[in-house]
Structures are given as structure tokens and as C-alpha cells.
Amino acid sequence: MNPFFTGGEVISVSFPTRQMTAEQQRQSLRGNNVTFAKATVHHELIPGHHLQAFQSSRYQSHRSQFMTPFWLEGWAVYWEFLLYEDGFPQSPEERLGFLVWRAHRYARIIFSLRFHLGQMSPDQCVDFLVDNVGFDRINAEAEVRRSVGPSYPPLYQAAYMVGAMQLLTLKDRYVATGKPAKTFHDEVMQQSSLPISLLEAIVLDQTIQQDNPPLWRFDESQFSQ
Ligand SMILES: [Zn+2]
């Protein structure tokens, strides 16, 4: 059920179990090698989920009822992009550790939505992860079991990468107004969990109309590059 590190306020460590065969244990260790694991700590803890929970309990705490994975997971993956660009992973192995999760987040959009639309079976989702992300089969099976299970709403897995793309776009729009990225990060953390379109309305000082709620739009130019 939990092939890789997960977390929130604390981090959970995945490891081989006695019930696994020796080959399955090797696959489990390969999927949690040091540089893969290193690239999950900032996602789960700081500046990711631990910081989000810390801030959300102090600012706009009533908004926890609007909790959306596009804000929750999007923010953690947004930081994966920033840290990668800033040289946080230094060796080729560490950069690969970052990029394997990035590939996984793209794959999640495709296989989870196709599963929920009835276009892919769980076995096809596993094959898709093995073929396109390079996961070992036992880890891909556990990941699909977790991803499409009842504990996550249907859009959850797509929200990691889509939410990150929204926040990267929103930061560009914010910085284009002349404000620094630093205050963007403070503002996002002090607004707590909101749909990114509402977050945009707040940080860009847009007027919200009751009959015309904010809708998220990507810039066309982002996709023509
Ligand atoms: Zn996460």
C-alpha cells in the first residue's frame, strides 16, 4: 500500500518486509534508494507538508475545510521545481532522484484520470508506471493500489503536477506586478488552503463577484514553448 516515503507532519519510511520474497525486498530497496529518498524529505517536511500544517494552524485555520490537493500537493511539488533549479540536488544521482518523482507526477495525471474514466484497468496503470517511469513492478503495484484506492478522491493524483503548474504560473503573474517572490511565498502560506483560482484573486488583489467566481486559466504561451 505504501511503497515510497509519504508524510505530512511526520515522515513515513517504507522498507522491505519479512513477507516479501528476496526479489521483492530488492525491488523495495531499489525504489527507496538514498537519492530517491533524499528528494522526498523537503516535499513531506519543510518547505512542504510540515510547513503547510504549521502555518495553516496559525493563519486562516477555518480554511482547512476547503482543503484541496491542488494547494496541498501542488505547493510541495512547486518547491521541488524551485529546489531543483536552485541546485539543491548536486550530483547526477541526486538530480535523477528529483526527476524520477517529477516523471511520476506527470504519469499520475494520465493513469489516475484514465482509471477513473474507465479507460485503464489497474494492471494497465501498473504497466504504464513500469514502462514510463521505470518503477520496479512491486512498487508500481503498491503505488496503483494506494492511488486509486478509496482513501483519495479521484482528482487527488492529478493535483500534484497540475497544482504545481498553477503555482508556478501564479508566481510569475505575482512577480510581474513588481512584488518579490519571497512575499509570494509568505502570502501563500498565510492564506492557508484554497483553490488556486481563489488564491490568485487574493494575492493579485482581484475583485471576487458572487455570480462570477474566479476560474483558473493557464497562459496559452506556456504550452506553445
Ligand atoms: Zn505530498
Side-chain angles (χ1 to χ4, degrees), residues 1 43 50 52 75 102 106 133 148 175 181 192 208 223-224:
M1 280 300 287
H43 175 109
H50 181 85
Q52 288 175 297
W75 172 258
R102 193 179 295 187
Y106 285 122
V133 185
V148 301
V175 171
S192 191
I208 300 175
F223 301 100
S224 59

Side-chain angles (χ1 to χ4, degrees), residues 43-44 49 73 160:
H43 175 109
E44 305 298 350
H49 298 326
E73 301 296 352
Y160 286 76

Side-chain angles (χ1 to χ4, degrees), residues 6-8 43-44 49 52 72-74 76-77 80 105 108 156 160:
T6 57
H43 175 109
E44 305 298 350
H49 298 326
Q52 288 175 297
L72 183 71
E73 301 296 352
V77 177
E80 293 179 24
R105 273 60 179 268
R108 270 180 170 163
Y156 197 96
Y160 286 76

